[in-house]
Amino acid sequence: MNKNLESVLSKEPRRGLQYAVTIIILLILLLSASPALGGAQMTTKGFDIGKNILTGIFTPDTSLLFGLGDSGVMYLILQTIAIAFLGTLVGAIIAVPLSFISATNIVPKPVVLVTRFIIMAIRTIPSLVYGLMFIRVTGPGPFAGVMTLAIVSIGMISKLFIETIEDLDSGILESLDAFGSTLFQKIRYGVLPQLGPDFISILVYRFDMNLREATILGLVGAGGIGAPMIFALSAYHWHQVGAILIGLFVLVFVVEILSDKLRHKILHG
């Protein structure tokens, strides 16, 4: 038994050299990146600011946290949810047709190359850049946030939709081709019935991401809860920052639980 085990182990590839080379490469990268941290300097003033931040977070401004006006955390959270929802919806409406004409098992490859290039170009630009551009066009506010999230969502939703479409049961599509079905008929009877649950799951996941994106976009004036937070940070109103962060934590926590349950329900019944 021991001889058999030794013979099996002797046939295993020896990866010691690979591991050693990997460790050396990681060490070189770590050493080359360390100068970037050289500018970090902690001073007494920095520690005092850190203490004030923690104090503000744990003693939030209750009038802001529980206020019901248009400057309260509850209203800002609802506005952030609305921006994320509309951005996801608009992005999905544009992404669905783009996905179908970008799938190699649906349309010819020349068309696929063109549409995938468009999707790749959309995904290349960061969301903050889109936000700044839309703010210049439409002015600051929630509408700029909705349009930014819609454009940003197109790239990711299209990519995931394409992968899902290309993993379809090809037998159904071949049968529809044999009957002389048109492109619309193939999508209507051969694709959509298979893709419904996956599509909804992807949209729920993207909505979850857009909630966080909406918060970040608020920092550049695109509506939502991010704008009041950047104002509070700029004015060193740490108690207001604490109230907003608590609201954000509750929002993300609740949405995370609900989206996980919804995705599980969609995929597993």
Side-chain angles (χ1 to χ4, degrees):
M1 186 71 177
N2 291 333
K3 290 182 179 180
N4 291 334
L5 180 60
E6 290 176 1
S7 62
V8 171
L9 293 175
S10 64
K11 294 178 182 179
E12 288 288 325
R14 300 188 180 277
R15 303 185 182 275
L17 180 60
Q18 296 179 14
Y19 294 149
V21 171
T22 302
I23 292 173
I24 291 171
I25 292 174
L26 290 175
L27 288 174
I28 292 172
L29 292 174
L30 181 62
L31 292 173
S32 62
S34 58
L37 304 177
Q41 297 179 357
M42 294 295 293
T43 62
T44 304
K45 184 178 180 181
F47 282 112
D48 290 338
I49 292 174
K51 179 181 176 182
N52 291 335
I53 293 172
L54 291 176
T55 302
I57 290 174
F58 289 105
T59 57
D61 183 347
T62 53
S63 62
L64 177 64
L65 182 60
F66 300 109
L68 300 178
D70 57 4
S71 61
V73 171
M74 294 290 291
Y75 175 84
L76 296 172
I77 285 176
L78 289 175
Q79 187 181 70
T80 303
I81 294 173
I83 293 171
F85 175 77
L86 291 174
T88 306
L89 181 62
V90 175
I93 291 172
I94 301 172
V96 168
L98 273 178
S99 304
F100 283 116
I101 59 178
S102 300
T104 54
N105 57 341
I106 301 291
V107 298
K109 286 188 177 180
V111 179
V112 169
L113 290 175
V114 174
T115 52
R116 289 200 180 187
F117 177 80
I118 295 172
I119 293 171
M120 182 185 68
I122 292 172
R123 296 181 65 219
T124 301
I125 302 176
S127 58
L128 287 176
V129 176
Y130 279 123
L132 291 171
M133 289 192 295
F134 276 111
I135 286 171
R136 300 294 292 180
V137 174
T138 65
F143 183 73
V146 170
M147 296 307 299
T148 300
L149 290 179
I151 298 297
V152 172
S153 299
I154 290 171
M156 176 189 164
I157 293 174
S158 297
K159 187 176 186 299
L160 295 177
F161 278 8
I162 291 168
E163 293 175 357
T164 305
I165 293 169
E166 291 184 339
D167 288 338
L168 288 173
D169 184 357
S170 59
I172 297 176
L173 298 178
E174 290 171 359
S175 300
L176 291 171
D177 273 331
F179 282 107
S181 300
T182 63
L183 174 61
F184 176 78
Q185 289 171 332
K186 285 196 293 183
I187 293 173
R188 170 65 180 84
Y189 298 106
V191 176
L192 291 181
Q194 300 183 65
L195 296 182
D198 289 333
F199 273 20
I200 296 174
S201 178
I202 291 170
L203 293 180
V204 171
Y205 177 60
R206 183 64 218 185
F207 170 71
D208 190 5
M209 292 182 62
N210 277 346
L211 279 174
R212 295 166 175 80
E213 291 276 359
T215 302
I216 296 171
L217 290 173
L219 300 178
V220 296
I225 201 170
M229 184 166 66
I230 194 64
F231 293 148
L233 286 169
S234 301
Y236 305 110
H237 294 162
W238 303 119
H239 299 288
Q240 294 181 6
V241 174
I244 294 171
L245 288 177
I246 290 173
L248 282 174
F249 173 79
V250 173
L251 171 65
V252 172
F253 180 74
V254 172
V255 171
E256 187 77 22
I257 293 175
L258 293 178
S259 62
D260 284 344
K261 289 185 176 180
L262 182 57
R263 283 200 299 270
H264 186 272
K265 181 72 174 177
I266 291 169
L267 294 175
H268 304 287

